[in-house]
Amino acid sequence: MNFKYDVIVVGAGHAGNEAACAAANLGSNTLLVTMDMNKVGQMSCNPAVGGIAKGQIVREIDALGGQMGIITDRSAIQFRMLNRSKGPAMWSPRSQSDRMQFIQEWIKTLTGTPNLHIWQDTVTGLTIENGQVSGVKTLLGITFRAKCVVLTNGTFLNGLMHIGKTQIAGGRCSEPSSYGIAEQLKEHGFTVERMKTGTPMRIDGRSIDFSKMTEQVGEDDFHKFSFLEDVKRELKQMSCWITYTNEETHEELRKGLPESPLYNGQIQSIGPRYCPSIETKIVTFTDKTAHQLFLEPEGVDSQEYYVNGFSSSLPYQVQIAAIQTVPGLEKAELFRPGYAIEYDFFDPTQLNHTLETKRIKNLFFAGQINGTTGYEEAGGQGLIAGINAHINCHGGTSFVLGRDEAYIGVLIDDLVTKGVDEPYRMFTSRAEYRIILRQDDADMRLTEKAYRLGLATDVRFGLHKTKKEEQNKLIDFLNNYSIKPAQINPFLQSKESSELKHGCKLSDLILRPQFGINELAEAMPALKEKIEQIESRKEEIVESVEVVMKYAGYIEREKMIADKLQRLEHIQLRGKVDYNSIHTISTEARQKLTKIDPETIGQASRIPGISPSDVNILLVLLGR
């Protein structure tokens, strides 16, 4: 048994697994420590991956050589592309997963990764020497040594669950809390705070009357999460179901409010604004007579259903009485009630963009420990932390993604620059460059970076190059093929699009909103033949070319803005200015600049409370 490693990752959730695989695949001798090897990658909340903006993050994880997209596809029981009615910047893939298959796929991946070792135990503290982490101590009394440590403890740090007035110590249902780490880091000057999240009840599918609900089936086209061709959805596909609460439901819930931990003072910490409990919904949205519930199957061989939209910490009797007033759930039998959980997290402004802590060298934080919520946000952070832990061990340039390069870049910059005052969740609205951060071009943005880093394989990079070549061939054809009015006017007339008076290039027609490339190909034999020559990824390539061409003006304008603002990211600031000595900027600005200590002028400009005039003063002081 080895007791010395390059990288130790604590916690085998979505952040920890990505961190461990990234470090190991890059060549670091890596140890993953988990309380339970049978629950790695556990989907603590709903059995789904992706969604608005979150799906883009998963595509980015995959493009960078991470695992979440692969494992999601292999465990998928329903796939949908959300927001199709909107522009492609808003398209977001989402997949239901078989919860147990998701875990099994993670187990196979972790145990099949070279350089990666797993140890089942609980970490109770860190070994810290001369301001630098040097290992971890466990409940079994073992000390493991390492050059870098990545903490991905999720909701386990001093976790406390609430069901009505009942309080149970634990990181999630039937799993113990973790003690010692938060207390130790607090002694080293870290700011430790509390957050709250929750999860709904699980219902026995045999007790559900689906005839009273609306069925939502999945899609079966070429879209998926992973770019790899041999990764496919092979499990039986299942439906989700929609129903609604009503006034009777709300009345039952109101009866239980005096015993609600959220409203009787039992829970003091901050919960997620964008995923509120059902009791919060009826208190906040008093004008709403109904709230949608989304029943999600937990797996092919499971009768368990997750009631999305009914998160609650009310007493179990109240939860049962309320859910049995919902159409289709009148005879609902519960496997377990919903609960809230409070846990410790660390103010993320204590981190650098690499996710290394500012106070202790070679110590990294990733996931809910940073105040985020969601599997996808955790996975993205874990990947970046694992990459940079490896770099710290073996040398090289830190790996950081910009806000114009990835949603992961937006996520991490928001955390370390602005901090959090509630569990952070990614939305497309948080990304100012969302037109160039689409889900369809994650591979184009990031795969080459991952290949240079050593994380993307030769196979992945080869597929990427082939796709890029085929895209360029089709774009060149569309830009250079001339069309005459007589050839195309009957088609244009059928699509209620204005007819041509003069000849034009096919690319000019692609810009029209009434039709797409595939429809045009049916009227243009030469275009149809060109598309049929594409040997693989035909539908994917056609879709991507159409997006690039139809939105070319918007994409170029956004790139110009990003390039202009990028100049501020190259002006180094950290260590060059004593903020407390600058009396020409506001007191708030001095305090926030001192606390966050931004690396660049660009980061300083995004700190809440820092005005454009403050930025100009800093530029003058730097001789700019």
Side-chain angles (χ1 to χ4, degrees):
M1 179 72 192
N2 184 18
F3 293 96
K4 191 171 183 179
Y5 296 87
D6 292 324
V7 177
I8 293 176
V9 179
V10 181
H14 306 278
N17 291 350
E18 292 290 354
C21 284
N25 282 324
L26 285 169
S28 282
N29 189 24
T30 304
L31 177 68
L32 176 62
V33 185
T34 175
M35 289 181 177
D36 190 343
M37 282 183 60
N38 296 310
K39 292 184 178 176
V40 299
Q42 172 73 291
M43 300 176 111
S44 307
C45 208
N46 62 323
V49 171
I52 308 302
K54 293 169 172 281
Q56 282 88 324
I57 291 177
V58 181
R59 290 296 313 276
E60 290 173 356
I61 291 171
D62 183 74
L64 287 166
Q67 308 302 315
M68 184 177 279
I70 296 170
I71 286 167
T72 300
D73 284 341
R74 287 179 174 161
S75 62
I77 54 177
Q78 188 194 91
F79 183 92
R80 294 180 66 230
M81 184 66 73
L82 308 183
N83 277 347
R84 282 185 186 271
S85 61
K86 299 180 181 179
M90 304 294 286
W91 295 353
S92 301
R94 184 181 191 272
S95 180
Q96 295 291 142
S97 281
D98 183 307
R99 185 191 296 274
M100 296 309 297
Q101 188 65 30
F102 191 88
I103 292 173
Q104 290 303 312
E105 291 294 337
W106 260 122
I107 290 172
K108 283 192 285 186
T109 298
L110 293 168
T111 55
T113 299
N115 307 313
L116 179 54
H117 312 270
I118 304 174
W119 180 255
Q120 182 168 297
D121 201 346
T122 300
V123 171
T124 56
L126 307 172
T127 57
I128 300 167
E129 300 168 3
N130 302 317
Q132 180 170 317
V133 73
S134 58
V136 302
K137 297 177 180 178
T138 77
L139 194 61
L140 292 178
I142 301 172
T143 297
F144 292 101
R145 307 285 291 181
K147 297 174 184 175
C148 290
V149 173
V150 183
L151 294 183
T152 66
N153 302 74
T155 59
F156 283 80
L157 294 181
N158 295 310
L160 182 64
M161 295 178 287
H162 301 262
I163 304 174
K165 293 181 179 178
T166 302
Q167 296 181 331
I168 306 168
R172 57 182 169 229
C173 187
S174 302
E175 296 183 60
S177 298
S178 173
Y179 302 100
I181 295 175
E183 292 78 4
Q184 181 187 13
L185 290 177
K186 191 171 183 179
E187 290 176 2
H188 278 78
F190 283 84
T191 300
V192 185
E193 299 176 47
R194 298 282 278 177
M195 271 189 181
K196 168 259 170 189
T197 189
T199 190
M201 62 180 64
R202 307 303 199 271
I203 290 180
D204 188 336
R206 295 167 297 183
S207 66
I208 300 173
D209 184 353
F210 293 108
S211 68
K212 296 182 179 180
M213 301 181 180
T214 302
E215 184 176 13
Q216 185 182 75
V217 298
E219 300 171 358
D220 186 23
D221 63 8
F222 68 92
H223 291 104
K224 58 190 181 81
F225 279 110
S226 179
F227 187 70
L228 298 178
E229 291 182 324
D230 62 342
V231 177
K232 296 179 171 51
R233 295 192 294 272
E234 296 179 346
L235 296 183
K236 172 188 172 184
Q237 298 300 286
M238 301 180 70
S239 294
C240 293
W241 303 84
I242 297 172
T243 186
Y244 293 86
T245 63
N246 51 57
E247 280 294 355
E248 188 181 355
T249 314
H250 301 173
E251 185 55 37
E252 290 292 340
L253 293 168
R254 289 188 194 101
K255 291 178 186 177
L257 287 179
E259 296 182 86
S260 168
L262 292 176
Y263 294 100
N264 65 11
Q266 188 172 311
I267 292 178
Q268 298 290 331
S269 49
I270 309 160
R273 177 193 305 268
Y274 301 105
C275 189
S277 66
I278 189 66
E279 52 264 42
T280 300
K281 288 179 185 178
I282 65 167
V283 170
T284 306
F285 306 106
T286 54
D287 58 323
K288 296 284 186 182
T289 58
H291 293 283
Q292 179 179 287
L293 302 182
F294 193 63
L295 272 69
E296 305 175 45
E298 296 265 353
V300 173
D301 298 317
S302 173
Q303 288 294 343
E304 216 171 331
Y305 275 79
Y306 176 95
V307 190
N308 198 332
F310 208 85
S311 177
S312 180
S313 59
L314 286 164
Y316 73 90
Q317 303 96 321
V318 177
Q319 294 187 43
I320 294 171
I323 202 68
Q324 289 182 343
T325 65
V326 174
L329 298 175
E330 294 88 349
K331 297 180 180 180
E333 293 284 341
L334 272 62
F335 282 125
R336 58 186 180 277
Y339 61 88
I341 181 168
E342 290 184 286
Y343 56 95
D344 288 347
F345 79 100
F346 298 93
D347 177 359
T349 61
Q350 300 170 106
L351 303 173
N352 295 310
H353 280 80
T354 58
L355 297 181
E356 182 182 14
T357 69
K358 295 174 182 176
R359 289 186 175 274
I360 298 177
K361 184 172 174 53
N362 290 340
L363 176 63
F364 295 78
F365 294 165
Q368 282 184 283
I369 195 173
N370 289 336
T372 62
T373 181
Y375 311 144
E376 305 81 3
E377 290 89 342
Q381 292 173 70
L383 185 67
I384 299 301
I387 290 170
N388 284 300
H390 166 81
I391 290 170
N392 277 22
C393 290
H394 301 280
T397 305
S398 297
F399 186 76
V400 173
L401 293 170
R403 297 182 70 91
D404 60 334
E405 293 178 306
Y407 270 91
I408 295 172
V410 175
L411 162 67
I412 293 175
D413 184 63
D414 278 353
L415 292 176
V416 304
T417 302
K418 302 174 183 177
V420 294
D421 55 10
E422 61 188 45
Y424 181 101
R425 179 179 180 179
M426 180 53 72
F427 292 101
T428 50
S429 59
R430 295 192 192 273
E432 59 269 42
Y433 307 120
R434 54 188 171 273
I435 298 176
I436 57 177
L437 300 183
R438 307 181 311 279
Q439 62 82 31
D440 67 276
D441 77 334
D443 49 300
M444 293 296 167
R445 289 183 275 121
L446 300 173
T447 296
E448 190 168 343
K449 291 178 183 291
Y451 185 69
R452 291 200 303 267
L453 192 65
L455 201 52
T457 63
D458 289 338
V459 171
R460 180 183 289 275
F461 189 60
L463 292 170
H464 160 74
K465 285 204 303 183
T466 300
K467 177 182 174 181
K468 194 171 184 178
E469 289 166 3
E470 292 292 351
Q471 279 183 324
N472 290 336
K473 286 178 186 177
L474 182 55
I475 290 171
D476 287 343
F477 177 82
L478 293 168
N479 282 332
N480 294 302
Y481 191 91
S482 299
I483 186 81
K484 295 180 180 178
Q487 293 175 277
I488 200 66
N489 278 344
F491 169 78
L492 297 176
Q493 189 176 27
S494 71
K495 294 295 180 180
E496 299 182 349
S497 185
S498 57
E499 297 181 21
L500 293 181
K501 294 181 180 178
H502 307 285
C504 70
K505 302 295 184 184
L506 272 180
S507 55
D508 295 324
L509 294 179
I510 298 300
L511 300 178
R512 299 193 179 192
Q514 293 90 350
F515 50 84
I517 291 178
N518 284 320
E519 293 171 286
L520 187 58
E522 292 302 316
M524 284 294 308
L527 176 57
K528 187 172 184 178
E529 182 182 352
K530 184 66 180 177
I531 291 173
E532 288 175 349
Q533 289 172 2
I534 301 173
E535 294 184 4
S536 64
R537 300 181 181 273
K538 189 177 302 180
E539 297 151 300
E540 181 181 333
I541 289 166
V542 169
E543 181 182 83
S544 63
V545 166
E546 186 170 318
V547 169
V548 167
M549 298 192 76
K550 280 186 181 292
Y551 293 87
Y554 298 101
I555 293 169
E556 287 305 313
R557 184 170 62 187
E558 203 160 89
K559 283 181 177 177
M560 285 176 61
I561 295 171
D563 289 343
K564 184 178 179 181
L565 293 177
Q566 187 65 24
R567 297 169 198 163
L568 295 178
E569 304 299 331
H570 296 297
I571 304 175
Q572 291 298 313
L573 183 59
R574 181 169 291 170
K576 295 187 176 182
V577 177
D578 176 9
Y579 302 114
N580 288 319
S581 67
I582 309 173
H583 298 290
T584 48
I585 63 176
S586 68
T587 301
E588 180 186 6
R590 289 199 299 272
Q591 291 173 343
K592 289 186 173 179
L593 288 166
T594 300
K595 176 188 174 185
I596 294 171
D597 192 16
E599 294 182 41
T600 65
I601 287 287
Q603 185 187 357
S605 70
R606 294 189 294 275
I607 298 173
I610 305 302
S611 68
S613 64
D614 294 331
V615 172
N616 285 333
I617 290 168
L618 292 174
L619 285 169
V620 169
L621 289 171
L622 293 174
R624 297 300 184 108

